[in-house]
Amino acid sequence: MEEDYIKLIFGLKLKQIRTDRNLSLFGLSKLSGLSKSYLNEIEKGKKYPKPDKISILAEKLDVPYDQMVSLKLDKNLAPIGEILQSKVLKEIPLALFGIKESTLIDIVSNAPAKMNAFISTIIKIAQNYDFGKESFFLASLRSFQEANHNYFDELEQQVLKFSKAYQIDLSQNVTSQELEEILVEEYGYTINNKDLEKHKELDALRSIFVPKTKTLLLANHIDEAQRTFIYAKEIAFNFLGYKERLYTFSWIKFENFDQVLNNFYASYFAGAMILPREPFTKRLKQLFNKKTFDPGLFIKMIDSFNASPESLYQRMTNILPKDFNVQNLFFLRFVHKKGDEKYYLTKELHLSHQHSPHANENNEHYCRRWVSLRVLQKIIKKKEKHVFDVQISHYPNNQPSYLVFSSATKDPFKENQYRSISIGILINPQLKRKIAFLDDPKIENYHVGVTCERCPITDCKERIVPPKILEKELLNQKIEATVEHLMDNLS
């Protein structure tokens, strides 16, 4: 049993007994002869009293000594004790958001019954949606990214520091060859391009790092951009000195939040190296300054860097908030298998509030008018390597409109599976001053919903299912209005 846990349990019990007796800290201090500040430290779990002090408290509060020191909690505090004992608070990355564990414990101890009900509700929701520890960690990471507008200057500076130390010319495309040389010569890596292919069950993995021998196993069918990104990420783990890390790409599971955070930092470092801030910002400005949208210029921008479309879109979520002061945007990644009617939203990021579209876990049908889904439909029909499109999405009932860029590519690791990457930017007067082509009539405008089940658009030819959830909500509103009318007339 951890000493901290024993202190917290004793403090919670003392506070509950004191408040049950309608005693203030000052009152208990007068009754027991112990100082108010000392009692306050005990109740906050910072100090554990000596046996003679416990005897005084037990006598003055008329509670058996054994009950005072027992770790068993009554029904109001039992769930809190389970949470403390499970160490879940240790796993929550409170420090990232400037919250102290003691502050959270104070909140819990001040209203144990209400907090118990709240925590139980969260747990039930998590269980209902199969929301495990890994999902919780990833949700925490997204909140951390959003709180920082997904821009981390320290990592940007570390990339510049690395490039100077190892004479990497960021004005030219970084190649896998020069990064491999650094991994081998500087960090003692062995690159293995053969053994991963011997295990069929590992087909979905791009790389595995074996720390004992410093061997990096690579799938032999990855392209140059993917290989460069993997090498850059491995360099980040070493150059930034991260010990807690993941050893597979893509990840299989996380053991703790530090692994999640360090994996993100290493990916950010890799993206900032492959898509350096200065030349990338310059190309975006060239694109945005044109009065008509040039799809070819956008594709040319993607092709000009040794990076995948996904890496480029991710990088846009770093650069747009920082260098263009575009604070409201979303990033989405959909996957779709040929022949399957479902589209799966596997990754999303929202800056600086929850935008539409967003993930829906109720097995509803995402709007087929989204450009994210339309590019997936196109790439399956055309069988091209990369399909790009842009649209302006208008949401009903005077909701916001978004400029959305989207690219679809084939998943190189899964048969007949495709993915689309999209970035949507909230259209407001500020954006119109920054992007000259917003009024270009060649950009198609679509009225869209979130899911078919909730969409109020009546003449939608792309609708998959009726708006049954919306209809139910409207019916409930009519019932409420009728009841209110009757009550007004009969009162």
Side-chain angles (χ1 to χ4, degrees):
M1 216 38 102
E2 285 188 11
E3 187 180 342
D4 287 347
Y5 170 71
I6 296 171
K7 288 179 184 176
L8 288 168
I9 293 300
F10 188 90
L12 287 171
K13 290 184 73 172
L14 178 61
K15 184 170 185 176
Q16 186 182 39
I17 294 167
R18 174 177 65 78
T19 52
D20 285 347
R21 304 287 193 276
N22 291 317
L23 278 170
S24 65
L25 269 175
F26 181 84
L28 181 58
S29 175
K30 285 190 70 175
L31 186 66
S32 65
L34 304 174
S35 73
K36 180 183 170 184
S37 60
Y38 178 63
L39 292 170
N40 188 41
E41 294 279 283
I42 293 171
E43 289 192 357
K44 288 187 174 181
K46 294 178 180 177
K47 289 185 177 177
Y48 191 87
K50 293 180 179 179
D52 60 323
K53 301 292 193 299
I54 297 175
S55 294
I56 293 170
L57 290 168
E59 179 188 344
K60 297 302 181 182
L61 292 169
D62 194 24
V63 176
Y65 182 95
D66 289 347
Q67 184 181 331
M68 288 289 292
V69 297
S70 169
L71 293 173
K72 187 176 180 180
L73 295 165
D74 69 16
K75 64 178 182 179
N76 283 336
L77 288 176
I80 297 168
E82 290 174 12
I83 290 168
L84 295 174
Q85 195 171 8
S86 71
K87 301 179 185 176
V88 68
L89 294 182
K90 300 289 186 187
E91 293 184 347
I92 298 173
L94 298 172
L96 279 181
F97 304 100
I99 301 171
K100 294 181 180 178
E101 185 180 337
S102 58
T103 305
L104 195 60
I105 291 167
D106 281 345
I107 295 170
V108 171
S109 61
N110 281 329
K114 292 178 181 178
M115 285 303 297
N116 174 33
F118 174 72
I119 291 167
S120 298
T121 301
I122 296 298
I123 290 170
K124 286 175 183 176
I125 292 171
Q127 290 171 339
N128 187 50
Y129 288 100
D130 193 24
F131 194 81
K133 182 171 73 172
E134 288 158 355
S135 300
F136 174 78
F137 284 158
L138 291 171
S140 299
L141 174 63
R142 284 197 299 273
S143 297
F144 176 58
Q145 291 175 257
E146 291 161 10
N148 289 277
H149 301 294
N150 204 32
Y151 180 83
F152 297 87
D153 193 62
E154 184 179 342
L155 291 172
E156 301 279 347
Q157 296 307 316
Q158 287 290 343
V159 168
L160 297 177
K161 183 179 176 181
F162 171 81
S163 64
K164 183 177 180 181
Y166 289 89
Q167 290 297 289
I168 302 293
D169 185 359
L170 295 182
S171 67
Q172 303 293 322
N173 275 348
V174 177
T175 67
S176 65
Q177 184 178 350
E178 58 185 325
L179 297 187
E180 181 175 318
E181 187 178 1
I182 294 170
L183 283 174
V184 173
E185 297 296 330
E186 183 71 12
Y187 298 114
Y189 273 48
T190 298
I191 309 299
N192 185 320
N193 294 295
K194 298 177 181 178
D195 286 354
L196 200 57
E197 306 301 320
K198 296 176 182 178
H199 304 276
K200 201 68 180 168
E201 62 273 20
L202 302 181
D203 279 353
L205 296 182
R206 303 179 192 185
S207 68
I208 299 176
F209 178 64
V210 183
K212 191 173 182 180
T213 59
K214 286 194 170 184
T215 300
L216 183 62
L217 303 168
L218 291 172
N220 62 17
H221 53 289
I222 60 175
D223 61 24
E224 165 64 10
Q226 292 164 341
R227 183 180 291 267
T228 304
F229 183 82
I230 291 168
Y231 285 168
K233 198 171 172 182
E234 287 298 322
I235 284 172
F237 284 125
N238 288 274
F239 186 74
L240 300 175
Y242 296 146
K243 303 300 181 188
E244 287 285 350
R245 57 157 296 176
L246 301 176
Y247 297 108
T248 64
F249 181 55
S250 303
W251 64 272
I252 300 173
K253 65 176 182 177
F254 297 117
E255 298 294 339
N256 54 60
F257 185 74
D258 282 345
Q259 290 181 345
V260 180
L261 185 60
N262 291 343
N263 185 66
F264 164 70
Y265 282 157
S267 296
Y268 188 106
F269 182 98
M273 187 196 303
I274 296 166
L275 295 142
R277 178 181 170 188
E278 190 175 324
F280 189 63
T281 300
K282 183 179 179 182
R283 287 188 175 275
L284 279 176
K285 285 180 178 177
Q286 289 172 350
L287 179 74
F288 291 165
N289 287 338
K290 286 188 169 290
K291 291 187 177 181
T292 58
F293 179 68
D294 186 349
L297 188 60
F298 192 92
I299 299 292
K300 189 177 179 181
M301 179 178 69
I302 295 176
D303 293 340
S304 67
F305 294 98
N306 186 15
S308 67
E310 179 165 356
S311 293
L312 184 132
Y313 280 72
Q314 288 269 22
R315 189 63 173 144
M316 286 177 73
T317 68
N318 310 139
I319 298 301
L320 288 177
K322 180 63 178 177
D323 290 335
F324 294 85
N325 198 29
V326 174
Q327 304 288 345
N328 289 287
L329 58 86
F330 62 79
F331 169 92
L332 306 175
R333 179 178 68 202
F334 277 93
V335 298
H336 176 64
K337 191 165 187 176
K338 187 177 181 180
D340 186 356
E341 70 161 17
K342 299 289 288 183
Y343 294 82
Y344 301 93
L345 182 49
T346 59
K347 191 171 186 178
E348 64 177 327
L349 179 72
H350 295 264
L351 308 177
S352 55
H353 63 266
Q354 186 77 359
H355 302 275
S356 291
H358 49 75
N360 184 290
E361 300 297 334
N362 292 324
N363 208 30
E364 296 177 31
H365 297 76
Y366 293 114
C367 177
R368 277 7 185 210
R369 290 183 174 182
W370 291 349
V371 67
S372 306
L373 306 193
R374 290 193 295 106
V375 290
L376 284 169
Q377 294 162 1
K378 286 180 183 177
I379 197 168
I380 290 173
K381 290 177 182 177
K382 294 184 176 181
K383 297 180 180 179
E384 295 178 1
K385 184 179 179 182
H386 176 203
V387 169
F388 168 77
D389 204 351
V390 60
Q391 76 176 44
I392 292 177
S393 295
H394 303 284
Y395 284 84
N397 303 322
N398 296 316
Q399 293 296 311
S401 298
Y402 295 87
L403 172 68
V404 189
F405 304 98
S406 190
S407 288
T409 58
K410 189 179 186 305
D411 190 329
F413 299 93
K414 293 184 180 178
E415 190 68 27
N416 290 323
Q417 184 160 297
Y418 300 82
R419 57 193 173 193
S420 72
I421 309 299
S422 305
I423 188 166
I425 309 170
L426 179 69
I427 296 176
N428 54 27
Q430 179 194 21
L431 190 72
K432 289 179 179 179
R433 291 193 295 270
K434 295 180 183 297
I435 299 182
F437 59 72
L438 271 179
D439 294 324
D440 185 351
K442 292 180 182 177
I443 298 177
E444 292 188 280
N445 285 246
Y446 284 83
H447 290 277
V448 301
V450 177
T451 66
C452 292
E453 286 83 347
R454 300 172 189 270
C455 182
I457 299 173
T458 56
D459 58 346
C460 180
K461 296 178 182 178
E462 294 84 0
R463 183 185 292 282
I464 301 298
V465 295
K468 54 185 179 181
I469 294 178
L470 177 66
E471 289 170 353
K472 185 177 180 180
E473 290 174 353
L474 292 174
L475 178 60
N476 286 339
Q477 289 174 12
K478 288 182 180 179
I479 292 170
E480 288 175 14
T482 304
V483 169
E484 286 182 13
H485 179 71
L486 285 172
M487 292 179 72
D488 289 341
N489 288 342
L490 297 176
S491 60

